[in-house]
Amino acid sequence: MLKKLARYVRDKVRPLFCYLQDKLKITAVRNLFRFVEIKKSEVFGLVMFAVIFTVFEGMGVTFLLPILQYAESGGSAVENSSGFIWETIADILALVNLEPTLIVLLIMAFIPILLRNVLFYMRAWYSSVVSSRIMLRLRMKVADVIYASDPEFFTRHPVGELYGVVMSKTSTAGGAVLAIINLLGIGLLLVMYTAILLLLSVPLTLVALGFALVVSLVNKRVLKWIAANSLKTARLSQKLTAKIVERMGQMQLVKLRHTEKEEVENIRYTSETMRMLGIKAAKVGAGVEIIVDPIMMLSVFVTLYIAIAVLGSTLAQLTLVIFILTRLNGRVREFNGALQGITSATAGVKLVNEMFEASQEANVIVSGPREFTGAQESIEFRNVAFDYPDVYSAKGALVSVGRPVIADFNATIKAGSFTALVGRSGAGKSTLVELIPRMREATAGEILYDGVSIKEFQVGSLRRGIGYVTQTPMLFNNTVYENLTYGLDREPAGHEVYDALEKAHATFVYDLPKGLETKIGDRGVRFSGGERQRIAMARVLLADPDVFVFDEPTSALDSESEGYIQQTLNALHGQKTLIVIAHRLATVVAADQLLVVDKGKVVERGTHTDLIAQDGVYADLFQSQLLGFDGDESGQKESSA
C-alpha cells in the first residue's frame, strides 16, 4: 500500500507540484527569500489589506443584485425575492431598523465601494512602504556580502557590474517580492468573483472558468519567452553599466587616444540591442492581447447565450453576470500580467543570486580570535606559496586559468628593520606583500607574527595595524582632511594631522585656498602624482602602525617627489618595520636586508654591499640602472603580481 502511495506521489503529485512551482515562480521566490528577511508583520499587513479589500469588493458587487432586481420588479422584488443575498440584507437592515427601499439599497451598495477605495489608497501606501523596506534590506544585504568578500573577488568583477547589481537589480528583485504578495490579492479577488458567480449559476461559472483556463494556457507559453528575453536584457544592462563606469573612470586615456566616438558607439550598439529586445517584448505582449481579448469577449458572449437561451436568467441576473464577467476578465488579465512581470523580475533575482553566491564563495579568509597589536620581534615566511585560482563566469565558463606565483618562499623580517623586495616584473613581489595584511590568502606555508600564525589574528585589526602605501595613491573625491582620516577610529588632534603631513612632506595642503577642506577631485586629479602620493602616505602615518608596506611608492614619481619619499623612509628607518618593493634600487640601498625575488622565490639575500660583492642577479640589475638601462621596465607595476 505504501509503495503504491509513493509511486502515485512520484508519478502524479510531484509533477503537478513542480508545475505549480514553475507557474508561480516559487523556486525564484525561495532563492530571493535567501537574501533578504521578509518580515511576517509586513506580509501579514499586505495579506490583511488584500483580504479586507476583497470583502468590500465582494459586498459592493453582491449588493448590486438587489438594486437591479428592485429596478426590474419594483417593490415586489422585496416581497418575492429570497436566497442568501436577500437574507443577508434583511438581517443587516433589521439590526438598524430600516426598510429595504431603493435609497437604502443604494446606500448599502455605496458604503462598501467607498470603503474599498479608502482601503485601496491605504494598501497602495503600505505596499510602497513595504516595497521600499524590502528593496533597502535586500540592497544592504547584497552590499554587505560584497564588501565582506576577499580582495580577490574585486579583481574578477568590474566596479560597474557590482554597482549595477547593488543599485539596480536589487530594486527589481525587491519589487518581485511585492508583486508576488500582491498576486495573492488578485487571486483572492478571482476567488471572490467566482464564488459570486457560483451563487448566481454553477453552469455559467464553469463556462467562465473554462475560458480563463484557455487564457492561462496561452499565457504559459509566453512566460517562457519572457523569462529568456528578460535575462538577456538584464545581462546586457549589467554589461552596459560596467562598460560606462569603466570607460568614464579612464576618461583621460579615452581623450588621449581620441576614442570618444568609438566609446559612444559602443554604448549605442548595446543600447540599440536592448531597445530591439524591448520592442520584441512589446510585440509579444501585444500579440498576447490580440489573442486573449477575443477569447475573453467570446467567454462573455457564450456565457450570455447560455444564460438567456438555456437558463432563462432574469434581466437583473444578466446585468450582474455581465458586470462580474467584465471585472473577472480584467482580473484574469491582471493576474496573467502580474505573472509576466514576476517572470521578468526573476531575471534580476537571478543576477542578484549569482553575485550573492559568487561573493560568498570568494569570502574564504576567515578571521581569527586574536587582536593584532603589531610585530614586536619578527615577521616570518615559512615555505609560503600562492597560486592564482581558475576564474569562471556566472554561466560556468572558464575565463582564465590559474597559475602559481609564489613557491616555497622563506624569509624573516626583524621588527624595526628595513627590508626591500627587488626583482624583475612578474617575480611575485606585489603578491607577496598582499599576503602580509591577508589581502590574499597563502595557498601553502605559514606567515607568522612573533611566532603566531597570521590566521590567528582578527582580519580587521591586522589590516588596520599595517600601513599600506601603493604605487597608485588611493584617494576619494573628498576633502584633504576626510582622505587623511578615512578609516581612522578616532578624531585626531590638529597637531597629529600636522605631524603626519610634515613627516610625509605634504604640508603644502595648508597653503591651499581652503586648506584641509579643499576637495581633491576624482582620485586626487587636482594634484600632481607626487602630491597625491604624499597625501596617501600622510594618511598611513596618521594611523601610526608598527608595520609599513610600500609597494613601489616612487616608481612613477619625479626625482623631487622621490626625494621626499626617500626622506620619509629614512625617518621611519629603525622606528618602524619597513617592507618596501622598489624598482629604483637607489631607493633601497640603505635597507638592512634586500630579498631578490625571482619566480616567487628568494634567489639572493643580504645588504646592498653583500649583494654587489656576490656579482649575481642584484648586481646585474643595479649595474643596468647605473648605465641608464632599466631592463626591469622601471616605473610599471607588476601586471600579474
mmCIF file of all heavy atoms in Angstrom, residues 131-147:
data_model
loop_
_atom_site.group_PDB
_atom_site.id
_atom_site.type_symbol
_atom_site.label_atom_id
_atom_site.label_comp_id
_atom_site.label_asym_id
_atom_site.label_seq_id
_atom_site.Cartn_x
_atom_site.Cartn_y
_atom_site.Cartn_z
ATOM 1 N N SER A 131 7.542 47.756 0.019
ATOM 2 C CA SER A 131 8.427 47.561 -1.137
ATOM 3 C C SER A 131 9.763 48.252 -0.922
ATOM 4 O O SER A 131 10.826 47.683 -1.192
ATOM 5 C CB SER A 131 7.753 48.099 -2.395
ATOM 6 O OG SER A 131 8.622 48.022 -3.500
ATOM 7 N N SER A 132 9.731 49.495 -0.423
ATOM 8 C CA SER A 132 10.980 50.227 -0.200
ATOM 9 C C SER A 132 11.808 49.572 0.900
ATOM 10 O O SER A 132 13.034 49.533 0.821
ATOM 11 C CB SER A 132 10.679 51.688 0.155
ATOM 12 O OG SER A 132 9.925 51.779 1.344
ATOM 13 N N ARG A 133 11.136 49.054 1.936
ATOM 14 C CA ARG A 133 11.863 48.364 3.000
ATOM 15 C C ARG A 133 12.529 47.101 2.478
ATOM 16 O O ARG A 133 13.693 46.814 2.790
ATOM 17 C CB ARG A 133 10.906 48.005 4.138
ATOM 18 C CG ARG A 133 10.456 49.180 4.985
ATOM 19 C CD ARG A 133 9.430 48.717 6.006
ATOM 20 N NE ARG A 133 8.976 49.802 6.859
ATOM 21 C CZ ARG A 133 7.983 49.673 7.730
ATOM 22 N NH1 ARG A 133 7.347 48.512 7.856
ATOM 23 N NH2 ARG A 133 7.619 50.695 8.477
ATOM 24 N N ILE A 134 11.788 46.331 1.704
ATOM 25 C CA ILE A 134 12.334 45.089 1.149
ATOM 26 C C ILE A 134 13.524 45.390 0.253
ATOM 27 O O ILE A 134 14.567 44.742 0.327
ATOM 28 C CB ILE A 134 11.244 44.324 0.372
ATOM 29 C CG1 ILE A 134 10.191 43.770 1.330
ATOM 30 C CG2 ILE A 134 11.853 43.182 -0.442
ATOM 31 C CD1 ILE A 134 9.006 43.143 0.650
ATOM 32 N N MET A 135 13.351 46.404 -0.614
ATOM 33 C CA MET A 135 14.439 46.784 -1.516
ATOM 34 C C MET A 135 15.672 47.209 -0.742
ATOM 35 O O MET A 135 16.792 46.807 -1.067
ATOM 36 C CB MET A 135 13.962 47.904 -2.441
ATOM 37 C CG MET A 135 15.003 48.374 -3.452
ATOM 38 S SD MET A 135 16.100 49.656 -2.773
ATOM 39 C CE MET A 135 14.933 50.987 -2.523
ATOM 40 N N LEU A 136 15.466 48.020 0.315
ATOM 41 C CA LEU A 136 16.594 48.520 1.096
ATOM 42 C C LEU A 136 17.304 47.379 1.820
ATOM 43 O O LEU A 136 18.532 47.303 1.831
ATOM 44 C CB LEU A 136 16.114 49.568 2.099
ATOM 45 C CG LEU A 136 17.197 50.203 2.969
ATOM 46 C CD1 LEU A 136 18.238 50.914 2.107
ATOM 47 C CD2 LEU A 136 16.581 51.182 3.972
ATOM 48 N N ARG A 137 16.526 46.477 2.418
ATOM 49 C CA ARG A 137 17.148 45.355 3.125
ATOM 50 C C ARG A 137 17.910 44.460 2.160
ATOM 51 O O ARG A 137 19.009 43.994 2.469
ATOM 52 C CB ARG A 137 16.082 44.546 3.872
ATOM 53 C CG ARG A 137 15.568 45.225 5.133
ATOM 54 C CD ARG A 137 14.915 44.217 6.057
ATOM 55 N NE ARG A 137 13.731 43.623 5.477
ATOM 56 C CZ ARG A 137 12.505 44.077 5.648
ATOM 57 N NH1 ARG A 137 12.294 45.164 6.376
ATOM 58 N NH2 ARG A 137 11.478 43.464 5.104
ATOM 59 N N LEU A 138 17.314 44.222 1.000
ATOM 60 C CA LEU A 138 17.985 43.392 0.012
ATOM 61 C C LEU A 138 19.262 44.048 -0.477
ATOM 62 O O LEU A 138 20.317 43.406 -0.594
ATOM 63 C CB LEU A 138 17.042 43.118 -1.158
ATOM 64 C CG LEU A 138 17.606 42.279 -2.302
ATOM 65 C CD1 LEU A 138 18.058 40.917 -1.788
ATOM 66 C CD2 LEU A 138 16.574 42.115 -3.395
ATOM 67 N N ARG A 139 19.181 45.363 -0.751
ATOM 68 C CA ARG A 139 20.358 46.094 -1.227
ATOM 69 C C ARG A 139 21.476 46.060 -0.198
ATOM 70 O O ARG A 139 22.642 45.816 -0.528
ATOM 71 C CB ARG A 139 19.969 47.537 -1.551
ATOM 72 C CG ARG A 139 21.143 48.423 -1.966
ATOM 73 C CD ARG A 139 20.655 49.773 -2.421
ATOM 74 N NE ARG A 139 19.861 49.664 -3.637
ATOM 75 C CZ ARG A 139 19.094 50.641 -4.117
ATOM 76 N NH1 ARG A 139 19.012 51.793 -3.472
ATOM 77 N NH2 ARG A 139 18.405 50.461 -5.232
ATOM 78 N N MET A 140 21.123 46.286 1.066
ATOM 79 C CA MET A 140 22.140 46.298 2.111
ATOM 80 C C MET A 140 22.695 44.899 2.356
ATOM 81 O O MET A 140 23.878 44.736 2.679
ATOM 82 C CB MET A 140 21.565 46.872 3.407
ATOM 83 C CG MET A 140 21.090 48.323 3.289
ATOM 84 S SD MET A 140 22.261 49.396 2.405
ATOM 85 C CE MET A 140 23.682 49.288 3.470
ATOM 86 N N LYS A 141 21.855 43.885 2.200
ATOM 87 C CA LYS A 141 22.325 42.509 2.370
ATOM 88 C C LYS A 141 23.361 42.173 1.308
ATOM 89 O O LYS A 141 24.435 41.625 1.611
ATOM 90 C CB LYS A 141 21.133 41.552 2.260
ATOM 91 C CG LYS A 141 21.479 40.085 2.426
ATOM 92 C CD LYS A 141 21.781 39.732 3.857
ATOM 93 C CE LYS A 141 21.947 38.246 4.043
ATOM 94 N NZ LYS A 141 22.231 37.889 5.456
ATOM 95 N N VAL A 142 23.043 42.501 0.057
ATOM 96 C CA VAL A 142 23.978 42.215 -1.037
ATOM 97 C C VAL A 142 25.240 43.060 -0.888
ATOM 98 O O VAL A 142 26.357 42.562 -1.063
ATOM 99 C CB VAL A 142 23.307 42.477 -2.406
ATOM 100 C CG1 VAL A 142 24.302 42.313 -3.540
ATOM 101 C CG2 VAL A 142 22.126 41.530 -2.605
ATOM 102 N N ALA A 143 25.072 44.355 -0.558
ATOM 103 C CA ALA A 143 26.232 45.229 -0.379
ATOM 104 C C ALA A 143 27.115 44.716 0.754
ATOM 105 O O ALA A 143 28.351 44.729 0.647
ATOM 106 C CB ALA A 143 25.778 46.657 -0.093
ATOM 107 N N ASP A 144 26.497 44.245 1.825
ATOM 108 C CA ASP A 144 27.256 43.741 2.963
ATOM 109 C C ASP A 144 28.083 42.521 2.574
ATOM 110 O O ASP A 144 29.263 42.412 2.933
ATOM 111 C CB ASP A 144 26.295 43.387 4.100
ATOM 112 C CG ASP A 144 27.030 42.938 5.352
ATOM 113 O OD1 ASP A 144 27.834 43.718 5.875
ATOM 114 O OD2 ASP A 144 26.806 41.801 5.788
ATOM 115 N N VAL A 145 27.481 41.618 1.803
ATOM 116 C CA VAL A 145 28.195 40.408 1.381
ATOM 117 C C VAL A 145 29.320 40.755 0.414
ATOM 118 O O VAL A 145 30.426 40.211 0.488
ATOM 119 C CB VAL A 145 27.212 39.403 0.739
ATOM 120 C CG1 VAL A 145 27.962 38.234 0.115
ATOM 121 C CG2 VAL A 145 26.226 38.888 1.773
ATOM 122 N N ILE A 146 29.052 41.689 -0.512
ATOM 123 C CA ILE A 146 30.076 42.075 -1.482
ATOM 124 C C ILE A 146 31.254 42.754 -0.780
ATOM 125 O O ILE A 146 32.418 42.444 -1.043
ATOM 126 C CB ILE A 146 29.474 42.996 -2.560
ATOM 127 C CG1 ILE A 146 28.551 42.181 -3.487
ATOM 128 C CG2 ILE A 146 30.570 43.668 -3.383
ATOM 129 C CD1 ILE A 146 27.844 43.007 -4.532
ATOM 130 N N TYR A 147 30.967 43.687 0.132
ATOM 131 C CA TYR A 147 32.045 44.375 0.850
ATOM 132 C C TYR A 147 32.828 43.423 1.744
ATOM 133 O O TYR A 147 34.009 43.663 2.022
ATOM 134 C CB TYR A 147 31.480 45.530 1.682
ATOM 135 C CG TYR A 147 31.392 46.830 0.931
ATOM 136 C CD1 TYR A 147 30.287 47.135 0.146
ATOM 137 C CD2 TYR A 147 32.421 47.758 0.985
ATOM 138 C CE1 TYR A 147 30.197 48.328 -0.554
ATOM 139 C CE2 TYR A 147 32.347 48.955 0.288
ATOM 140 C CZ TYR A 147 31.234 49.234 -0.476
ATOM 141 O OH TYR A 147 31.157 50.411 -1.184
#
